[in-house]
Amino acid sequence: MAVRWTLRDGLVVFLACLGVGLVSAWPWLVEPSLRPGLPAPFEIRAPRDASVVDSEALAQRRSQLGPRIQVQITDQNATAKLESRLNRMLAELLNSRTAGEMRLTPIAVSPEDEAFLLTQTPQELRKWQTTVEQAQQRMLTQGVVSTLAEDQLQRAAKLQLDQLPEPGRSLGAKLITRSLQGSTNLRTDNSLTQVLLNDLIQQNGVPKIEVKAGEVITVKGEVISQRAYDVLDAFGLISRRPATGLFLVRWIEASIAAGLMLLICRRWRTDLEIPQALLLLGTLAVVQGCKLWFGASVSALAV
């Protein structure tokens, strides 16, 4: 039995067809008309000799150099935490001197270290504490990595405390080592890394594509490669403005095609109801969306 559609039903179907057409024509509004992976609409020849940057080779070189190149800078927050850790350890160590005896300390204390702490005056201990803190600050200014071996870290701390006599020098070095071991105050700076990466690429030479006048860039029907796209872009043949006119044409064409498909279905099934028609149009919109999102690799429908 034939199902009659009301005016409202027809309006809903009409808007749904426009929606399918909008999905199909959307790339013409937001993407260049020529881009890698699309068939070339016509043959294009180089208007003149040119040397064009090969973006594909450049990206490959960046990907090869990128993981190996990092520019690091000191992180103020991490530095402050490490300084605070040393200050806490110094306070615990100095406060462990109570009534002439040693209590629990943040590091292992040798008899020489214990004698040093018990025989120094408060002024001498304060001066020693300041010297240790300044030594750690110099090391943090240079940057500390978390993978540095303990003995190397301790030797570096001793070099920073070379003006102190023993055993204060060794005790201070042990405190600095304990406060820094396994920690870092460095972080990667992406902007400086990019600058260094660009400098290295410039030193090694930017990959170029040499183009001769009259040389064929694209052949009608063949897929546009990235190299061909770079050459077209260098000659100003890639329009990045929205193709409004072409978008409207594609929109109308796709909307009419969706409407014709629906009319054919209704001719063969006169009892086609509005929900079924909308389901059909929705499926078509999903197929078009998959085509745009995944490209020609998703299925034969996207070709």
Side-chain angles (χ1 to χ4, degrees), residues 81-97 102 104-109 117 128-129 132-133 136 171-181 183:
K81 289 180 180 179
L82 293 175
E83 290 176 347
S84 176
R85 182 187 299 176
L86 178 63
N87 292 337
R88 185 181 68 252
M89 294 174 63
L90 283 167
E92 292 177 0
L93 182 64
L94 296 178
N95 291 336
S96 65
R97 297 174 63 251
M102 297 295 297
L104 184 64
T105 57
I107 59 172
V109 178
L117 293 172
W128 171 79
Q129 178 180 358
V132 173
E133 291 173 351
Q136 189 210 41
L171 180 59
K174 286 191 289 186
L175 282 167
I176 293 176
T177 301
R178 178 61 62 86
S179 68
L180 299 180
Q181 188 178 8
S183 302

